[in-house]
Amino acid sequence: DTGVSQNPRHKITKRGQNVTFRCDPISEHNRLYWYRQTLGQGPEFLTYFQNEAQLEKSRLLSDRFSAERPKGSFSTLEIQRTEQGDSAMYLCASSARGSSYNEQFFGPGTRLTVL
Amino acid sequence: AQSVTQLGSHVSVSEGALVLLRCNYSSSVPPYLFWYVQYPNQGLQLLLKYTSAATLVKGINGFEAEFKKSETSFHLTKPSAHMSDAAEYFCAVSDGGGTSYGKLTFGQGTILTVHP
């Protein structure tokens, strides 16, 4: 399978702990997006990478959140000092270089539960 | 700023009946519009997209949508519902360029239930 993969699929943590999620995009895709989806809502944009450069961050991405894509391939999203409000599904998507109407391919998501 | 409104958080139809899921958008520039489907515990899958070519767009699984600029709408339809269509559907908009890098703004989603 050559789709977008995300690990772990589920993460349960205690408030105040740090967590890190990984996204492996489709290999030839240079664009990578992170979204957050809470229960009953549509996904909300968090941040965007073009190759290794982080070009846009949402105001939703507080100082406790950091994302990297060090070699322009996989990406990590870290949440420090987790809060219960961070509980959500974190989705990663990738798309090919070119027009912004290129399809974004989504991974299965990482479901975070903060106790 | 862009926004998407999906009218009806839940839609219920009988198998074989018409499916109509409503989406209205707001965009200051010509939009690109998308419909995604999400099955439980899975990521989003693209159904179809409008990219300023034909206003009637055909997608996978028999779905289609019509872009109506005057109504700022992009409603999703399927002539005959199948049990396998039960899922959550999201309408999304991208402004197609500028500094947005193609990021998507989603509606809140519509859960489609199909009764036998």
Side-chain angles (χ1 to χ4, degrees), chain A residues 79-109:
Chain A
I79 309 174
Q80 296 182 325
R81 305 180 304 280
T82 53
E83 301 174 354
Q84 288 185 327
D86 297 331
S87 295
M89 175 77 85
Y90 290 85
L91 295 166
C92 176
S94 69
S95 70
R97 187 189 189 105
S99 173
S100 53
Y101 58 71
N102 286 350
E103 176 180 355
Q104 291 185 26
F105 292 81
F106 282 80

Side-chain angles (χ1 to χ4, degrees), chain A residues 9-10 31 33 35 37 40-45 48 50 55-56 89 91 99-109 111, chain B residues 32 34 36 38 41-46 49-51 88 90 94-97 99-109:
Chain A
R9 292 292 307 276
H10 302 274
R31 295 182 167 194
Y33 306 80
Y35 294 85
Q37 184 178 19
Q41 300 296 319
E44 296 174 292
F45 170 79
Y48 162 75
Q50 184 161 301
L55 297 184
E56 187 171 355
M89 175 77 85
L91 295 166
S99 173
S100 53
Y101 58 71
N102 286 350
E103 176 180 355
Q104 291 185 26
F105 292 81
F106 282 80
R111 182 170 296 283
Chain B
Y32 296 142
F34 306 79
Y36 281 84
Q38 186 176 34
N41 299 315
Q42 295 187 26
L44 283 74
Q45 179 185 8
L46 182 69
K49 63 182 179 182
Y50 166 76
T51 58
E88 189 162 17
F90 293 95
S94 164
D95 73 3
T99 59
S100 78
Y101 307 110
K103 73 179 180 184
L104 297 173
T105 300
F106 287 87
Q108 76 274 25

Side-chain angles (χ1 to χ4, degrees), chain B residues 76-96:
Chain B
L76 181 70
T77 61
K78 182 174 180 178
S80 177
H82 192 271
M83 297 295 289
S84 61
D85 295 326
E88 189 162 17
Y89 292 79
F90 293 95
C91 182
V93 62
S94 164
D95 73 3

Side-chain angles (χ1 to χ4, degrees), chain B residues 10-22:
Chain B
H10 291 79
V11 170
S12 180
V13 299
S14 299
E15 191 173 20
L18 172 72
V19 175
L20 171 60
L21 304 182
R22 300 178 186 273

Side-chain angles (χ1 to χ4, degrees), chain A residues 11-40:
Chain A
K11 178 70 177 179
I12 299 174
T13 191
K14 293 183 178 179
R15 188 177 55 184
Q17 298 295 305
N18 298 344
V19 295
T20 300
F21 311 140
R22 176 175 170 131
C23 170
D24 287 272
I26 294 171
S27 59
E28 64 269 24
H29 286 180
N30 73 328
R31 295 182 167 194
L32 188 146
Y33 306 80
W34 284 98
Y35 294 85
R36 181 172 68 185
Q37 184 178 19
T38 54
L39 200 62

